[in-house]
């Protein structure tokens, strides 16, 4: 049972990984760091989520 990986599969996995990492970074910023570093983690997490959204929109078009 060898499933061939195409561009849509790769973009799907990349989207999933980026969403997980984005949520982890936001959670770190909210729950772990109470100073200015928390804002950086939160902003980076939002950036990860926006890139994941772009990856999701690219599926089927590339």
């Amino acid at each position: 049972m060898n499933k061939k990986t195409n561009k849509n599969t790769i973009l799907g996995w990349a989207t999933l990984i980026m969403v997980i990492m984005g949520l982890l970074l936001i959670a770190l910023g909210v729950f772990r760091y109470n100073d200015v570093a928390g804002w950086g983690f939160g902003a980076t997490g939002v950036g990860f989520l926006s890139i994941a959204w772009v990856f999701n929109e690219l599926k089927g078009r590339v």
Side-chain angles (χ1 to χ4, degrees):
M1 192 176 202
N2 189 2
K3 184 179 179 186
K4 188 173 181 164
T5 50
N6 56 14
K7 288 178 270 191
N8 288 332
T9 306
I10 299 296
L11 281 173
W13 279 107
T15 301
L16 178 68
I17 292 168
M18 295 284 287
V19 165
I20 291 171
M21 286 304 298
L23 293 176
L24 272 172
L25 284 169
I26 291 172
L28 266 176
V30 170
F31 297 115
R32 175 69 173 98
Y33 296 103
N34 294 327
D35 52 356
V36 179
W39 289 97
F41 275 100
T44 306
V46 170
F48 267 75
L49 291 179
S50 64
I51 294 171
W53 174 69
V54 170
F55 281 170
N56 190 37
E57 292 299 318
L58 284 175
K59 283 195 311 188
R61 292 192 173 110
V62 193

